[in-house]
Amino acid sequence: MIKNNRELIYEGVSSNYLEAETIICGIPFDGTVSFRPGTRFAPSAIRQVFDGIETYSPYLNSDLTDKKICDLGDIPISFGNTTKTLQTIEQEIASILDDNKKIISLGGEHLITYPIIKSYIKKYPSLNIIHFDAHADLRDTFMGETLSHATVMRRVYEQLSTGQIWQFGIRSGTKEEFIFGQDNTSLHPFSLDKITDVINQIGDAPVYISIDLDVLDPSIFPGTGTPEPGGNTFIELMDAMKKLTSLQIVGGDIVELTPNYDASGVSTIVACKVLRELLLLI
Amino acid sequence: MIKNNRELIYEGVSSNYLEAETIICGIPFDGTVSFRPGTRFAPSAIRQVFDGIETYSPYLNSDLTDKKICDLGDIPISFGNTTKTLQTIEQEIASILDDNKKIISLGGEHLITYPIIKSYIKKYPSLNIIHFDAHADLRDTFMGETLSHATVMRRVYEQLSTGQIWQFGIRSGTKEEFIFGQDNTSLHPFSLDKITDVINQIGDAPVYISIDLDVLDPSIFPGTGTPEPGGNTFIELMDAMKKLTSLQIVGGDIVELTPNYDASGVSTIVACKVLRELLLLI
Amino acid sequence: MIKNNRELIYEGVSSNYLEAETIICGIPFDGTVSFRPGTRFAPSAIRQVFDGIETYSPYLNSDLTDKKICDLGDIPISFGNTTKTLQTIEQEIASILDDNKKIISLGGEHLITYPIIKSYIKKYPSLNIIHFDAHADLRDTFMGETLSHATVMRRVYEQLSTGQIWQFGIRSGTKEEFIFGQDNTSLHPFSLDKITDVINQIGDAPVYISIDLDVLDPSIFPGTGTPEPGGNTFIELMDAMKKLTSLQIVGGDIVELTPNYDASGVSTIVACKVLRELLLLI
Amino acid sequence: MIKNNRELIYEGVSSNYLEAETIICGIPFDGTVSFRPGTRFAPSAIRQVFDGIETYSPYLNSDLTDKKICDLGDIPISFGNTTKTLQTIEQEIASILDDNKKIISLGGEHLITYPIIKSYIKKYPSLNIIHFDAHADLRDTFMGETLSHATVMRRVYEQLSTGQIWQFGIRSGTKEEFIFGQDNTSLHPFSLDKITDVINQIGDAPVYISIDLDVLDPSIFPGTGTPEPGGNTFIELMDAMKKLTSLQIVGGDIVELTPNYDASGVSTIVACKVLRELLLLI
Amino acid sequence: MIKNNRELIYEGVSSNYLEAETIICGIPFDGTVSFRPGTRFAPSAIRQVFDGIETYSPYLNSDLTDKKICDLGDIPISFGNTTKTLQTIEQEIASILDDNKKIISLGGEHLITYPIIKSYIKKYPSLNIIHFDAHADLRDTFMGETLSHATVMRRVYEQLSTGQIWQFGIRSGTKEEFIFGQDNTSLHPFSLDKITDVINQIGDAPVYISIDLDVLDPSIFPGTGTPEPGGNTFIELMDAMKKLTSLQIVGGDIVELTPNYDASGVSTIVACKVLRELLLLI
Amino acid sequence: MIKNNRELIYEGVSSNYLEAETIICGIPFDGTVSFRPGTRFAPSAIRQVFDGIETYSPYLNSDLTDKKICDLGDIPISFGNTTKTLQTIEQEIASILDDNKKIISLGGEHLITYPIIKSYIKKYPSLNIIHFDAHADLRDTFMGETLSHATVMRRVYEQLSTGQIWQFGIRSGTKEEFIFGQDNTSLHPFSLDKITDVINQIGDAPVYISIDLDVLDPSIFPGTGTPEPGGNTFIELMDAMKKLTSLQIVGGDIVELTPNYDASGVSTIVACKVLRELLLLI
């Protein structure tokens, strides 16, 4: 139980577990990454930089110091053992949800969303998932494996009962993924423009927000495993997130920052700003 | 004859020479580069990354696996001997054109376009050249030399009989180059907006597309010898290329990627995506 | 007196001190930087790259070779001694102003603007300051110090008599800074759009332009101490600068380039292009 | 069966499988790495650089062009699935041994030695293992896992029947590992000096040589996951390898090159030189 | 009082302040650095890597887990204000010495040794200082300043009453510094060989060990502000440190690691190993 | 005539041409480099760092301020035109020799030694050449070209009349080169130990010293085009150079620094120290 771990304290994130309403949880897992590994370094890199950014957001005119947030540190990873790691994630998330907290998870690779959602759906059967990503992640298998960063949304889709996946920013995939997305999820390629429509459709259902940071253009976010040109600007993402304020957000994740491919440090700063906005949205 | 070389096979590029309609040809020459050398590493870097990107383009809704493409490997370079290298390029290109193939050349520096065009004009006397670039490349001499990456379009211009050069994205040069461009080529500074007009003017004449990747803004394409801020976005280039589908494209080149100045690897990925679209256009 | 130093000569900057109308002055001071130091390397890096860029600006259709500019080299820095360094800057600037020159200073960190403005206000009591920056720099103290890159505009504000500070591009700060800016300076957050209005209000008062290059988005300008995503594009900054031609500009500075965080070299090139435009504006 | 794959051909490595006496096999697996991943990139990086180094060794006065060597490409990795990957390695190695070839494997992380040795011991029950490494790799478990780069020699030890492990260069580990090594393997800390003694003890038993390149000092080999200062120089390793010529070497591996931490490229060149000597030794 | 700060806990460093015999103290000051700044990042970088290295030293056959060590975090720095920073350091060190602790300080630049020694000499008037360094640091002034990383040993010398400075590894300086060293300190250029003689001369006097890591050759320690080729190997430094076990060591510092010039991460690992040995020596 | 260029002045190099006894000359040519280009950046990088190193050498106990040295700047390079460039070098060197100066040339690639020696031999027919290098450079042709960095000593050998080439540190080449060296030059592989013998044999003949910096081990000198492990330490090179004091040295060169592969900056510092010793030797 990571709840017994030492709580991490930094600028804007300083509540203890009991009083906190939102829990930050690091999940430094990158075991299925096929191209450029290193998202395992993201939670630590984000915390180090987060401590130095402003707690006040001029985008939302809101300040982290008005929130009750606790960082529980990292969920332990079994290096080389995917099955065991996914089980640990699922159990840890379930345990925190039992205490009626909202959770923001810091990946790690995108596959972590799968065990998280498995626990979330038990608590919120009508969960809606807003998914920002350059990739559809809708393959059935990838390089022979069913559990992969490239299949995660297909696996998540299979868990859904009455809920729905809404995908934005998708600009890379196989032809089959794009067709599957049109038939089974609400896949919006390239832009984030349709987000207003979606918000109306979701209404007051509980919402989980999964942000694969590679939805951003690699000009502003090069530090990721599979950068895809033609992405959204930071301002476009800020605008889209701002529109989510009316939703009932119950959790989310920020995945696929690879600090070891972030020579300038800008990608890590971007991840921190996105985290700040997400924490302020909840 | 590089046709006798071993054909390179990778994802989406797997035809043999005889059956192929389009030939990829590496030309790792950077002998006249004055600022930051290294385009010699581009063909190898592009092939390595190309093997990992999607063959399906959501921009053109088209897939490389439906094309017949063969990669003949690299044309041999005589290091330190520009004259001999240019002769080799001219001969190799002529030989492939004799077999009625279309050729996409991977630079290398922009000077390679000169011997390529010399061979092309013999086969297509009315050749039109669409030139994407940050620089006019219209100087008569550069640092005392007539054969240079900075004079290449002037040299190409001198080869034209009835054809025409159309230049887009130009945002750096001497005052004289801008004036020469206004008088003698169709020079469109900064944006790519005028491409629709040009397409109508070209009609069904044979077209060669020369893409100096520094036409892109250095935010998305830093890995080049002389980056120029104020350039076009990747989406703007995709939009412009999409409009070229109606033209009769007979060849092209992608030049000036310098992988050793591409710390994040994003520039090489961008080059691969541009190559994919160019291969799908033909 | 740096006037006795050897004058530096490079492409487009080749007048001697006596004949020159505009003086370039390096101020490699980064003593109060708290996050990523290294602006001390900026003047040297800028000069080295400036020597290779075009003297002709297609944005302003104007050429540096038509200007009389002299580079006096760097003002000497006392490492570890902020008070002495600021005094030296103030005296050197005053001495050049006495000779009726206009001065463009190359930082260094933003705090250098404070001693420069102290000398400028003695000569131009009604000085207006146009300030491009991602940060408001309006804190009263920062980490216990009153003299800091994060307090510089507050200190400058306290020096003003009848003049005015106009701030553009601001997108990061404490809540208090944004409120102070609304009440006391003309703080325009995020965009540069309001610059036309401001030009009319300034009229023919003398104007000093302070450009903290982090006003640009880190996609195009990563090489700076505290990069802030959501910034302005290079084209937006060019457009804004172009509109300043009607003003009576008497000096300016370009600060916060950190070449050691500029792996691709693009940030330094951007700084050079901004410097070229600024020199052409005067 | 990778034997059906396309054989890779480069300078000094150009035999086909049938005629070859020595087989090169890439194993780009780094699934259990806990610190800095990236050995997955090593086989590709080594081949690219190997093509450019001299085939003649002045250390051994011997030339690769006199050898019959074939490179079979990479064994396929199941990303995220350690068990399946180790099974594949074991089967592929067994299959090549059945054809009476000697095998040099290019890691990948050190755990690959475990399945390789499992197959080797079936063919050579009295196999001796000479192990160059900075780390003892003798833990029973590491971070809760029994299969790990840090436990590999313990697992190999458990497979041995009559053979023996000889360890050289060890300079990092737990107190328990050093004690286990003294009792159960022939662990020689720090230097390679004792290698002459060992050669006499081994006599004409079949020998497998496992070279974890981090045995070298990080001054000459920084590009590895867990660099340990105080290591051996390249010349010391060359001298030690030279002494092995009298042994009956039946296979070996070169592991733990991490090209993405090899900014200067020197580590990859070192790996290539060690590979050349190892190929010449067999 | 940093004693009230949160104590940092990591592998091998886990005592609380009261029970601890040795205190680790970060001093991230680099205000007088003239060449390549960044030692401010060293304490944080060292702690992060230290957490992952072995607690057992095969050099000393000793384990950190048998020691009582507490890390008090960093002494607060006033950026841009050298005088105030040095006063804070002096007071904080005095306060910990009052509690009869031994202190290992992590720089920061070498000037921090000056205020530390000022406090130490009050407690230990006959303090001897063993100084490992590439540079003599014996100038009277440097670039006009008396308080500088290049004058620190001159300032320390002026504080000595009956004690003595012993300098090893010195290989760069002005002619004057070498002469001053011969006359006033015990300056041993280049090698560490004379350390045995010195140990006998010191006897049981209290000893402070100041390790400027640039005493090491830049092949193994490139991550420092002013690297000097021709330095000592890591093994030579280990051997020299091993010989100090008989001395009565009362404190020490490790300075001049510049993590932002340590691309491979090896320099930071070296600093951690040196810190481990120093902690084990006390 | 570069003698008309502006003379460069920096720490320790401040004489004017007329009074100077030793001339420094930059030759930023890297046109025949086949692997990693960039020695063109070396003269500029060396000058920038040289300005900051100590003028006093503790190795030779000698100071640059006692010498009369003038830096004439760079010889102009014709990019892409090897023949013309080599002619320019030959003429410029001849012209300076006519004025009875000694010349230290800063490469650039090793081929520059060929035109330099052509001019030197006209003045000094019995010239002896001491050649430090990892590579024999004795090929007759390289990749089809006779003028190449890999053939330079063969070309130089063909120019010799009564003189002699003495080669040290050679550890890479074809079998043919090693045999040619044994028969025709005095090729000493690997170590520099035999230098004392050679000094006696040379006696008072005029000597030219060509230092390809890759003679040093890549642990201390990674910033070069073709790094070869197993090289000499900096201390070994210093010791060898020290022994040359009795010779009548009339010129020399320092080649093959590639600053763009020198991430840590250490290679450039090493080049500067070698340059300082060479200047002090003359």
Side-chain angles (χ1 to χ4, degrees), chain D residues 30-44:
Chain D
D30 60 6
T32 81
V33 169
S34 50
F35 190 36
R36 309 198 300 189
T39 59
R40 67 179 66 182
F41 304 122
S44 162

Side-chain angles (χ1 to χ4, degrees), chain B residues 28-268:
Chain B
F29 174 70
D30 60 6
T32 81
V33 169
S34 50
F35 189 36
R36 308 197 301 190
T39 59
R40 67 180 65 182
F41 304 122
S44 163
I46 288 174
R47 285 175 185 122
Q48 208 162 359
V49 171
F50 199 91
D51 199 30
I53 70 165
E54 299 292 344
T55 56
Y56 171 71
S57 163
Y59 299 96
L60 296 172
N61 188 21
S62 174
D63 203 305
L64 282 178
T65 53
D66 300 329
K67 296 277 176 178
K68 288 181 179 156
I69 307 167
C70 169
D71 185 331
L72 277 187
D74 289 348
I75 291 180
I77 302 304
S78 302
F79 288 100
N81 194 330
T82 302
T83 315
K84 189 166 141 197
T85 300
L86 298 189
Q87 281 169 355
T88 308
I89 297 170
E90 191 177 341
Q91 287 161 13
E92 297 283 2
I93 295 296
S95 155
I96 303 170
L97 286 176
D98 280 352
D99 293 332
N100 288 310
K101 311 290 188 185
K102 294 172 175 178
I103 309 167
I104 302 297
S105 301
L106 305 179
E109 61 157 86
H110 212 160
L111 183 55
I112 67 163
T113 304
Y114 175 53
I116 295 172
I117 293 292
K118 280 172 82 176
S119 287
Y120 258 89
I121 281 177
K122 282 179 200 142
K123 191 176 176 82
Y124 304 102
S126 64
L127 190 71
N128 274 254
I129 295 155
I130 296 182
H131 172 218
F132 296 102
D133 203 331
H135 309 90
D137 290 354
L138 288 172
R139 299 176 202 224
D140 194 29
T141 62
F142 183 64
M143 301 178 84
E145 301 295 314
T146 53
L147 293 176
S148 162
H149 62 101
T151 65
V152 58
M153 281 301 145
R154 185 69 168 263
R155 290 295 92 75
V156 165
Y157 168 80
E158 294 163 358
Q159 295 290 322
L160 288 178
S161 46
T162 59
Q164 174 69 23
I165 302 177
W166 314 83
Q167 301 186 291
F168 294 93
I170 315 301
R171 61 192 181 276
S172 188
T174 62
K175 204 170 195 169
E176 290 69 31
E177 284 181 278
F178 278 88
I179 293 169
F180 185 93
Q182 282 160 7
D183 294 349
N184 298 285
T185 69
S186 176
L187 189 156
H188 299 274
F190 304 113
S191 95
L192 314 179
D193 293 349
K194 291 287 159 54
I195 199 119
T196 317
D197 304 356
V198 167
I199 286 162
N200 296 332
Q201 290 179 265
I202 291 178
D204 58 359
V207 175
Y208 183 93
I209 300 174
S210 181
I211 304 178
D212 185 327
L213 288 163
D214 67 19
V215 71
L216 291 166
D217 194 66
S219 57
I220 190 63
F221 196 78
T224 190
T226 45
E228 296 286 344
N232 297 282
T233 68
F234 180 79
I235 292 174
E236 287 167 356
L237 182 59
M238 284 299 101
D239 284 348
M241 289 182 76
K242 219 167 159 177
K243 291 179 186 150
L244 305 177
T245 38
S246 64
L247 294 175
Q248 186 211 338
I249 301 169
V250 295
D253 58 53
I254 294 177
V255 299
E256 298 291 352
L257 167 68
T258 315
N260 46 330
Y261 289 94
D262 179 30
S264 69
V266 169
S267 303
T268 306

Side-chain angles (χ1 to χ4, degrees), chain D residues 49 54-59 61-63 66 219-220 234-235 263-266 269-270 273 276, chain F residues 35-36 139 171-175 177-178 190 217-219 222 226-231 261 263:
Chain D
V49 170
E54 299 293 344
T55 56
Y56 171 71
S57 163
Y59 298 97
N61 188 21
S62 175
D63 203 305
D66 301 329
S219 57
I220 190 63
F234 180 79
I235 293 174
S264 69
V266 169
I269 293 171
V270 166
K273 301 271 172 170
R276 183 183 70 192
Chain F
F35 190 36
R36 307 197 304 189
R139 299 178 202 221
R171 60 191 183 277
S172 187
T174 62
K175 204 170 195 170
E177 284 181 279
F178 278 89
F190 305 113
D217 193 65
S219 57
T226 44
E228 297 285 343
Y261 289 95

Side-chain angles (χ1 to χ4, degrees), chain D residues 16-276:
Chain D
N16 64 45
Y17 182 74
L18 282 184
E19 71 186 6
E21 292 171 356
T22 304
I23 304 302
I24 294 176
C25 209
I27 310 184
F29 174 70
D30 60 6
T32 81
V33 169
S34 50
F35 190 36
R36 309 198 300 189
T39 59
R40 67 179 66 182
F41 304 122
S44 162
I46 287 174
R47 286 177 185 118
Q48 207 162 0
V49 170
F50 199 92
D51 199 30
I53 71 165
E54 299 293 344
T55 56
Y56 171 71
S57 163
Y59 298 97
L60 296 171
N61 188 21
S62 175
D63 203 305
L64 282 179
T65 53
D66 301 329
K67 297 276 175 177
K68 289 182 179 152
I69 308 166
C70 168
D71 185 332
L72 279 187
D74 289 347
I75 291 180
I77 302 303
S78 302
F79 288 100
N81 194 331
T82 301
T83 315
K84 189 167 142 195
T85 300
L86 298 189
Q87 280 170 355
T88 307
I89 297 171
E90 191 176 341
Q91 287 161 12
E92 297 283 2
I93 295 296
S95 155
I96 304 170
L97 287 177
D98 280 351
D99 294 332
N100 289 309
K101 311 290 187 185
K102 293 172 175 178
I103 308 166
I104 301 297
S105 301
L106 305 178
E109 61 158 85
H110 212 160
L111 182 56
I112 67 162
T113 304
Y114 175 53
I116 294 172
I117 293 293
K118 280 171 82 175
S119 287
Y120 259 89
I121 282 179
K122 282 179 198 144
K123 190 177 176 82
Y124 304 101
S126 64
L127 190 71
N128 275 252
I129 296 156
I130 296 182
H131 172 219
F132 295 103
D133 203 330
H135 309 90
D137 292 354
L138 288 171
R139 298 178 203 221
D140 194 30
T141 61
F142 184 63
M143 301 179 84
E145 300 294 313
T146 54
L147 293 176
S148 162
H149 62 102
T151 65
V152 59
M153 281 300 145
R154 184 71 167 262
R155 291 295 91 76
V156 164
Y157 168 80
E158 293 162 358
Q159 296 290 321
L160 288 180
S161 46
T162 59
Q164 174 68 24
I165 301 176
W166 313 84
Q167 300 187 291
F168 294 94
I170 314 302
R171 59 191 182 276
S172 188
T174 62
K175 204 170 196 168
E176 291 68 31
E177 285 181 279
F178 278 88
I179 292 170
F180 185 92
Q182 281 160 6
D183 293 349
N184 299 285
T185 70
S186 176
L187 187 157
H188 299 272
F190 303 114
S191 96
L192 313 179
D193 292 350
K194 292 285 159 56
I195 200 122
T196 317
D197 305 356
V198 167
I199 287 163
N200 295 333
Q201 291 178 265
I202 292 178
D204 57 359
V207 176
Y208 183 93
I209 300 175
S210 180
I211 304 178
D212 185 327
L213 289 162
D214 68 19
V215 72
L216 292 165
D217 194 65
S219 57
I220 190 63
F221 195 79
T224 191
T226 44
E228 297 285 345
N232 297 280
T233 68
F234 180 79
I235 293 174
E236 287 167 355
L237 182 60
M238 285 298 101
D239 285 348
M241 289 180 76
K242 218 168 161 175
K243 290 178 187 151
L244 305 177
T245 38
S246 63
L247 294 175
Q248 185 213 338
I249 300 168
V250 296
D253 57 56
I254 294 177
V255 298
E256 297 291 352
L257 167 67
T258 315
N260 46 330
Y261 289 93
D262 180 30
S264 69
V266 169
S267 302
T268 305
I269 293 171
V270 166
C272 288
K273 301 271 172 170
V274 172
L275 172 59
R276 183 183 70 192

Side-chain angles (χ1 to χ4, degrees), chain C residues 44 62 69 90-91 108 113 129 152 154 162 180 225 242 251 275:
Chain C
S44 163
S62 175
I69 307 166
E90 191 177 341
Q91 287 161 12
T113 304
I129 296 155
V152 60
R154 184 70 168 262
T162 60
F180 185 93
K242 218 168 162 176
L275 172 59

Side-chain angles (χ1 to χ4, degrees), chain A residues 165-183:
Chain A
I165 302 177
W166 314 84
Q167 301 186 290
F168 293 94
I170 313 303
R171 58 192 184 276
S172 188
T174 62
K175 204 170 197 169
E176 290 68 29
E177 284 181 278
F178 278 88
I179 293 169
F180 185 92
Q182 282 160 5
D183 293 349

